[in-house]
Amino acid sequence: MKEIDSKISGFYKLSIEERQKIIAERVELTNDELLLLKKFGYFEPGQLDTMIENVIGSYQLPFGIACNFKINGKDYLIPMVIEEPSVVAAASNAARIARKKGGFQSEKVKSIMISQIQITNLENIEQAEKEIITNKQKIIDLANEKDPLLIKLGGGVVDIETRKFNTNYGDMLIVHLLVDVLDAMGANVVNTMAEGVSKFIEDITKGRIYLRIVSNLATHRLAKSKAVFDKDLLGGEDVVNGILNAYEFARVDPYRAATHNKGIMNGIIALTLATGNDTRAIESGAHAYASLKGQYSPLTKYYKDDNGDLVGEIELPLALGIIGGMTKIHPMARLALKILNTQNTEELCQVTAALGLAQNLAALRALASEGIQKGHMELHSRNIAKLADVPDHLVEKVAKILVEDKKIRIDYAKEVLERLKKE
Ligand code: MEV
């Protein structure tokens, strides 16, 4: 393997073409590979260059639609951006089953974000806390001055919390600004507010402030959804019992809970990405919430109702937005929001929670009955056929034979193709 020199000074100052040229030289890209980098898709090169640093191209993923969703009595077509086969089909399938008993019921979601202010070097943490409580309204007013538009629209700081820690570096007082960020994801808003009040807080507590930053554990922004899944449509009592056992497995075992929640995030992240929201914020919030009671736990729960049907519930923090960030800049995110036909961020959170529940139900149903591999392999076999250069009109036929013969391999796809040609 040839060694590559990764030191490039002033790379960020170059144009996209200049950067492409340097990378092409360093890693010896072929002409075809360079051409691929030059395909910007629906982006203007200038647009990409202002989104992140050191841009050399754009990267696309499939954009699919999950069908059949009814949430709080309204139908939704849900855009999903994801590379994994079966996920969109599985969500649509679970939504179809949920429809029979009225679809998903999602609760109201408050748009409250937490901003953390870390006060250190305190001589008397109790006194410092008292100062915060005494000056609460002053802190709220100061923070609100930082975003007059948000206040005009009805948002702003709604409360303040304090938390005390004894650490290896002495006592630490953490102040939480609880901010109603309305339709924004809110990280920028709350960071600005926290920075804006820190001088005053230092003065009254006589401490030293270091961090002032949003918490992604958005416990005041919880989304909850629920659905009843008809036992017959699920495949009968044994499947229902299988799903209940799968849930119990995740409840007692963090090794299983991690995979259980991964399935939920398949849906949640696909919609988060489609709408141009911050997937890492959603991931970290969800997993932190899953561990909040001391043991990493499933974000959904299941039980049987009096009818023997399966009831599923989901609860997790969802810091999403329909204004700010990428949501209005990315052309496909704008399109995704139009397809979703949501009025506000609360509705987006309600849909996202329902999608997470649907995704989880579909995975557990497959795992508790025929297993996950069958569906996966059918889709995978098509990809294998394409990789084996099977012409488009024969892909379905070859893929079917690969599945039937349980040999989903490129060499076998080539063999089958040769056989078909001779016939
Ligand atoms: C695969 O992407 C997701 C699953 O592993 C989720 C689960 O096991 O519940 C199927």
Side-chain angles (χ1 to χ4, degrees), residues 84 256 259-260 262-263 266 360 363-364 367 372 376:
E84 185 176 329
R256 172 56 206 155
T259 323
H260 179 107
K262 190 274 182 185
N266 275 346
N360 181 232
L364 298 189
L367 288 167
I372 211 89
H376 262 298

Side-chain angles (χ1 to χ4, degrees), residues 16-305:
I16 294 184
E17 279 77 35
E18 287 166 329
R19 288 185 208 127
Q20 287 173 337
K21 195 162 168 282
I22 292 180
I23 298 301
E25 282 165 8
R26 297 245 174 151
V27 303
E28 294 175 3
L29 294 184
T30 63
N31 271 346
D32 282 351
E33 286 163 342
L34 189 57
L35 278 178
L36 206 56
L37 276 183
K38 291 186 182 297
K39 284 188 187 161
F40 296 113
Y42 42 75
F43 285 114
E44 296 298 327
Q47 241 179 332
L48 290 168
D49 221 12
T50 52
M51 275 186 206
I52 64 162
E53 311 73 39
N54 295 359
V55 169
I56 64 164
S58 86
Y59 185 108
Q60 297 177 23
L61 285 170
F63 181 98
I65 299 289
C67 307
N68 307 328
F69 275 83
K70 190 181 272 301
I71 303 162
N72 295 343
K74 176 174 165 186
D75 272 42
Y76 292 90
L77 293 166
I78 305 186
M80 297 177 76
V81 172
I82 186 158
E83 87 301 340
E84 185 176 329
S86 303
V87 170
V88 179
S92 306
N93 202 11
R96 181 185 55 79
I97 297 174
R99 269 184 103 84
K100 179 154 182 210
K101 303 274 169 174
F104 297 84
Q105 308 303 324
S106 295
E107 292 185 18
K108 284 199 149 301
V109 184
K110 288 188 193 147
S111 45
I112 304 228
M113 291 297 282
I114 300 169
S115 192
Q116 296 196 289
I117 301 167
Q118 177 203 26
I119 317 167
T120 66
N121 289 17
L122 288 166
E123 272 177 20
N124 184 339
I125 191 168
E126 305 298 336
Q127 185 55 34
E129 187 182 36
K130 266 192 205 140
E131 292 296 343
I132 298 289
I133 295 164
T134 313
N135 288 284
K136 182 169 151 177
Q137 196 52 48
K138 182 87 199 289
I139 297 169
I140 293 179
D141 293 343
L142 260 180
N144 282 341
E145 272 172 27
K146 300 288 157 201
D147 200 331
L149 181 61
L150 183 70
I151 312 309
K152 202 170 144 205
L153 294 171
V157 180
V158 293
D159 205 357
I160 286 182
E161 292 172 344
T162 52
R163 300 165 74 238
K164 288 178 280 188
F165 296 98
N166 185 253
T167 79
N168 291 338
Y169 288 94
D171 284 342
M172 250 178 225
L173 179 63
I174 310 300
V175 174
H176 282 186
L177 301 182
L178 307 188
V179 189
D180 188 345
V181 295
L182 304 177
D183 274 329
M185 182 273 183
N188 275 333
V189 176
V190 304
N191 292 343
T192 307
M193 286 183 167
E195 288 185 10
V197 297
S198 61
K199 170 81 181 61
F200 177 68
I201 292 185
E202 271 187 345
D203 288 346
I204 58 172
T205 59
K206 305 197 172 41
R208 166 79 167 89
I209 290 182
Y210 284 105
L211 270 60
R212 297 150 298 170
I213 186 76
V214 67
S215 170
N216 289 121
L217 180 52
T219 48
H220 295 276
R221 212 172 186 178
L222 291 181
K224 299 178 194 176
S225 192
K226 181 176 178 175
V228 178
F229 301 96
D230 180 86
K231 64 172 179 301
D232 297 324
L233 286 184
L234 281 173
E237 205 183 333
D238 191 50
V239 177
V240 172
N241 289 334
I243 295 172
L244 290 172
N245 274 278
Y247 162 60
E248 194 61 9
F249 180 10
R251 200 180 65 76
V252 296
D253 180 5
Y255 283 89
R256 172 56 206 155
T259 323
H260 179 107
N261 288 344
K262 190 274 182 185
I264 295 173
M265 300 319 277
N266 275 346
I268 287 185
I269 293 301
L271 176 55
T272 301
L273 195 54
T275 55
N277 273 284
D278 182 342
T279 55
R280 289 83 56 211
I282 298 299
E283 284 279 3
S284 65
H287 298 299
Y289 191 65
S291 332
L292 215 51
K293 290 190 182 125
Q295 168 161 318
Y296 187 86
S297 306
L299 293 163
T300 51
K301 70 173 179 200
Y302 292 93
Y303 52 92
K304 255 189 225 180
D305 68 9

Side-chain angles (χ1 to χ4, degrees), residues 317-328:
L318 283 178
L320 296 167
I322 61 163
I323 57 164
M326 275 293 94
T327 50
K328 289 268 166 23

